[in-house]
């Protein structure tokens, strides 16, 4: 039902202790956008060794996903555009990682918001979403969220 919506619909899927072995992004075929992490990508593709750039293309094509985003910790984040047949990469900016809880949810939220305004350019939402996760990763649980003013300051500093 959700995959057939006409408006933009973003989702992320998560493997956890309760659903490991039963989890699959495969039930969301024909999605416009999806966000998963590297562990989930490798689990879905049953591949521990191939490059993320190869796996992201294969999974997006297999499930007919228009834009597939993979967060990969210290390796940064990747986004594949089916329309452009291109993989984008943004490095990780977090230097002080205390706890990863909430980082994927934060990333997805910011990525989806920015991508609504960036047309076919996936580099901008990857970049801003990556910057926004710095604060979330620097504290425990969901104690810190993205602060718009702090994010603006980071953008201005980096772009100078």
């Amino acid at each position: 039902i959700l995959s057939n919506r006409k408006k933009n619909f973003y989702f992320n899927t998560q493997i956890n202790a309760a659903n490991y072995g039963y989890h699959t992004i495969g039930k969301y075929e024909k999605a416009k956008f999806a966000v998963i992490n590297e562990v989930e990508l490798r689990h879905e593709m049953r591949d521990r060794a191939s490059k993320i750039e190869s796996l992201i293309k294969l999974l997006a094509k297999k499930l007919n996903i228009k834009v597939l985003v993979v967060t990969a910790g210290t390796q940064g984040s990747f986004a594949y555009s089916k329309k452009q047949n291109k993989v984008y990469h943004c490095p990780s900016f977090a230097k002080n990682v205390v706890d990863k809880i909430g980082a994927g949810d934060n990333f997805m939220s910011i990525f989806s918001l920015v991508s609504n305004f960036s047309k076919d350019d996936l580099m901008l939402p990857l970049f801003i979403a990556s910057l926004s996760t710095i604060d979330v990763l620097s504290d425990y649980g969901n104690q810190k969220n993205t602060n718009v003013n702090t994010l603006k300051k980071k953008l201005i500093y980096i772009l100078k």
Side-chain angles (χ1 to χ4, degrees):
I1 293 170
L2 294 174
S3 296
N4 291 325
R5 290 180 48 99
K6 295 198 189 294
K7 293 187 177 186
N8 286 343
F9 175 65
Y10 302 84
F11 68 90
N12 78 4
T13 62
Q14 298 175 353
I15 289 179
N16 58 42
N19 68 11
Y20 193 82
Y22 302 97
H23 171 274
T24 182
I25 189 176
K27 53 185 158 178
Y28 301 105
E29 289 185 36
K30 300 179 184 173
K32 290 181 182 179
F33 290 87
V35 179
I36 61 176
N37 68 36
E38 180 184 5
V39 171
E40 293 156 344
L41 172 69
R42 294 189 180 285
H43 176 75
E44 189 68 34
M45 298 303 291
R46 309 297 190 262
D47 187 325
R48 294 181 185 187
S50 298
K51 290 186 175 188
I52 293 171
E53 295 90 340
S54 300
L55 294 176
I56 194 173
K57 283 182 176 181
L58 291 172
L59 183 58
K61 288 176 182 175
K62 175 182 169 185
L63 299 178
N64 198 19
I65 296 173
K66 292 181 181 173
V67 174
L68 179 59
V69 178
V70 175
T71 58
T74 57
Q75 292 181 69
S77 54
F78 299 81
Y80 172 71
S81 166
K82 181 180 174 188
K83 181 178 178 181
Q84 298 169 332
N85 191 28
K86 182 176 179 180
V87 176
Y88 295 83
H89 174 256
C90 183
S92 171
F93 298 108
K95 302 293 180 217
N96 181 30
V97 177
V98 174
D99 188 3
K100 297 185 291 186
I101 291 176
D105 298 326
N106 180 85
F107 185 97
M108 184 200 72
S109 300
I110 301 301
F111 181 90
S112 62
L113 286 170
V114 176
S115 66
N116 278 322
F117 301 101
S118 66
K119 299 274 183 185
D120 293 329
D121 177 20
L122 296 180
M123 199 60 226
L124 183 63
L126 273 180
F127 174 65
I128 294 176
S130 293
L131 278 180
S132 75
T133 60
I134 293 171
D135 292 335
V136 176
L137 291 166
S138 69
D139 213 334
Y140 291 101
N142 291 314
Q143 291 183 356
K144 283 190 177 177
N145 294 315
T146 297
N147 178 295
V148 175
N149 292 326
T150 304
L151 183 56
K152 284 179 186 177
K153 287 177 185 177
K154 287 176 187 164
L155 281 167
I156 291 167
Y157 178 78
I158 287 177
L159 296 174
K160 280 188 175 182

